[in-house]
């Protein structure tokens, strides 16, 4: 057990929490440039991908020199202009872009999006779109060897702001770089009528050959929990181990205890080699802000959330996802969504001790 904990902790001897400076928009990631907006728009997804409105922009290192960028509910012709919908507006539950952009200081330029027909971003995983399963929203991605994995939540019903019901959290995989995806029957985290499954939403982290999964329940008010699995066993639900606060419990999600107290939503985790700390960005629904936490280890202790970006400056913000490649210095780059105008932006903040 000591050897395992040493592997996870990495640099626990490095003391000192990290503090973010004010976040600023660098560029637009998706959508059209509205009149009067001066932000760079390297992608113009309204013209090249039939993508006018979308959210999330979850990032991961594809292991092949390209960052994968996956989006949630996406709309084209007929989109309402602010917020999601209507469903008749060329609705796709999820779409994927790839980027080889080497300069995060100027924005996040796509090399391409996955299309089903020329000029039209492809839906990766299609939901039943009925009262049993309304949409499938990606929550995290990770690569293991040449295979790409996507954690998703199957949403049954959208409730009041910050609340929704899910059927399950699950995993999909792609062996062709993200062009096509398979949704297997395992691993699966079925939700309960009380909505207390702990891995309906997720963030991935990797240490060596082990993949870690930080999970939260459905909605934006839960705690964060931790699981792990050998990368070679990602599709074996019985191989997952859950941190109970002291030891790892194999195959026992119920034993998991919080590593971070909520409210936590849309969490993103990455290791920063400059500070030798794990960084976590989440939405704090109560504070109407994206907050930054850091820790010497995935099991913690995690700091309290420090405001990274506030709704006072960026109304209706959510979904802050850390750049997984350019994360070896005091500059923090991340995506951020805003419900109005229901698009994704490229953000920057400076970090210090």
């Amino acid at each position: 057990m000591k050897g395992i904990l040493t592997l996870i902790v990495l640099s626990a001897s490095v003391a000192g929490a990290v503090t973010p400076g004010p976040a600023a928009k660098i560029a637009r990631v998706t959508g059209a440039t509205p009149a009067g907006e001066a932000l760079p728009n390297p992608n113009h997804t309204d013209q090249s991908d039939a993508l006018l409105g979308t959210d999330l922009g979850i990032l991961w290192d594809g292991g092949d020199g390209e960052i994968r960028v996956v989006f949630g509910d996406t709309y084209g012709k007929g989109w309402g202009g602010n917020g999601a919908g209507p469903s008749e507006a060329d609705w796709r539950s999820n779409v994927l872009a790839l980027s080889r952009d080497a300069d995060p200081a100027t924005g996040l330029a796509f090399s391409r999006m996955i299309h089903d027909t020329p000029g039209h971003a492809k839906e990766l995983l299609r939901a039943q779109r009925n009262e049993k399963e309304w949409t499938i929203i990606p929550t995290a991605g990770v690569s293991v060897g040449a295979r790409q994995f996507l954690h998703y939540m199957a949403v049954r019903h959208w409730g009041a702001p910050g609340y929704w019901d899910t059927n399950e959290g699950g995993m999909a995989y792609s062996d062709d770089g993200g062009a096509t995806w398979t949704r297997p029957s395992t691993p699966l985290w079925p939700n309960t009528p009380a909505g207390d499954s702990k891995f309906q939403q997720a963030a991935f982290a990797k240490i060596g050959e082990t993949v870690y999964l930080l999970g939260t329940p459905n909605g934006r008010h839960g705690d964060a929990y931790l699981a792990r699995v050998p990368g070679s066993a990602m599709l074996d639900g019985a191989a997952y181990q859950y941190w109970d606060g002291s030891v790892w419990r194999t195959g026992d999600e119920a034993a998991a205890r919080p590593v971070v107290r909520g409210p936590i939503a849309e969490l993103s985790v990455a290791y920063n080699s400059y500070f030798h700390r794990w960084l976590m960005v989440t939405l704090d629904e109560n504070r109407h802000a994206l907050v930054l936490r850091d820790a010497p280890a995935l099991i913690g202790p995690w700091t309290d959330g420090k405001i990274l970006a506030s709704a006072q400056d960026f109304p209706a913000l959510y979904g802050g996802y850390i750049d997984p490649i350019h994360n070896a210095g005091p500059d923090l780059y991340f995506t951020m969504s805003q419900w109005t105008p229901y698009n994704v932006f490229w953000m920057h903040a400076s970090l210090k001790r």
Side-chain angles (χ1 to χ4, degrees), residues 100-159:
R100 292 185 179 272
D101 196 332
D103 186 4
T106 60
L108 180 67
F110 299 159
S111 50
R112 59 192 173 102
M113 289 198 79
I114 300 298
H115 288 175
D116 49 9
T117 59
H120 188 267
K122 176 184 178 179
E123 184 174 58
L124 311 177
L125 300 170
R126 186 173 179 84
Q128 298 176 39
R129 297 192 177 175
N130 56 30
E131 68 279 1
K132 295 182 180 179
E133 182 183 82
W134 182 243
T135 189
I136 296 174
I137 303 297
T139 75
V142 70
S143 64
V144 177
R147 176 169 282 183
Q148 308 295 323
F149 290 92
L150 192 64
H151 181 281
Y152 66 84
M153 60 177 176
V155 177
R156 182 174 69 255
H157 173 258
W158 295 113

Side-chain angles (χ1 to χ4, degrees), residues 16-254:
V18 176
T19 299
K25 284 183 178 178
I26 294 178
R28 177 177 282 268
V29 176
T30 62
T33 298
E37 183 176 280
L39 288 173
N41 186 354
N43 301 313
H44 290 285
T45 61
D46 59 312
Q47 301 174 21
S48 58
D49 309 291
L51 189 164
L52 279 68
T54 192
D55 68 351
L56 300 182
I58 297 163
L59 305 157
W60 77 93
D61 179 357
D64 54 3
E66 288 189 299
I67 293 176
R68 301 302 194 275
V69 193
V70 69
F71 301 92
D73 284 325
T74 297
Y75 303 90
K77 185 178 180 180
W79 171 58
N82 285 311
S87 58
E88 297 81 13
D90 192 14
W91 172 33
R92 289 145 284 172
S93 290
N94 36 73
V95 297
L96 180 67
L98 296 88
S99 173
R100 292 185 179 272
D101 196 332
D103 186 4
T106 60
L108 180 67
F110 299 159
S111 50
R112 59 192 173 102
M113 289 198 79
I114 300 298
H115 288 175
D116 49 9
T117 59
H120 188 267
K122 176 184 178 179
E123 184 174 58
L124 311 177
L125 300 170
R126 186 173 179 84
Q128 298 176 39
R129 297 192 177 175
N130 56 30
E131 68 279 1
K132 295 182 180 179
E133 182 183 82
W134 182 243
T135 189
I136 296 174
I137 303 297
T139 75
V142 70
S143 64
V144 177
R147 176 169 282 183
Q148 308 295 323
F149 290 92
L150 192 64
H151 181 281
Y152 66 84
M153 60 177 176
V155 177
R156 182 174 69 255
H157 173 258
W158 295 113
Y163 295 90
W164 55 82
D165 300 316
T166 57
N167 292 329
E168 66 196 32
M171 203 84 71
Y173 68 90
S174 173
D175 289 328
D176 56 11
T180 60
W181 293 81
T182 299
R183 184 180 171 187
S185 59
T186 181
L188 207 62
W189 293 270
N191 211 353
T192 67
D196 57 8
S197 172
K198 300 166 182 175
F199 292 86
Q200 296 301 288
Q201 300 164 87
F204 285 118
K206 286 198 301 186
I207 302 175
E209 301 301 317
T210 302
V211 176
Y212 293 81
L213 189 66
L214 287 106
T216 65
N218 52 276
R220 288 177 168 164
H221 298 274
D223 300 327
Y225 303 84
L226 184 63
R228 70 177 186 183
V229 67
S232 59
M234 286 282 288
L235 297 179
D236 181 359
Y240 284 74
Q241 297 181 319
Y242 300 88
W243 181 249
D244 75 354
S246 300
V247 298
W248 295 97
R249 300 287 190 90
T250 301
D252 188 5
E253 179 191 349

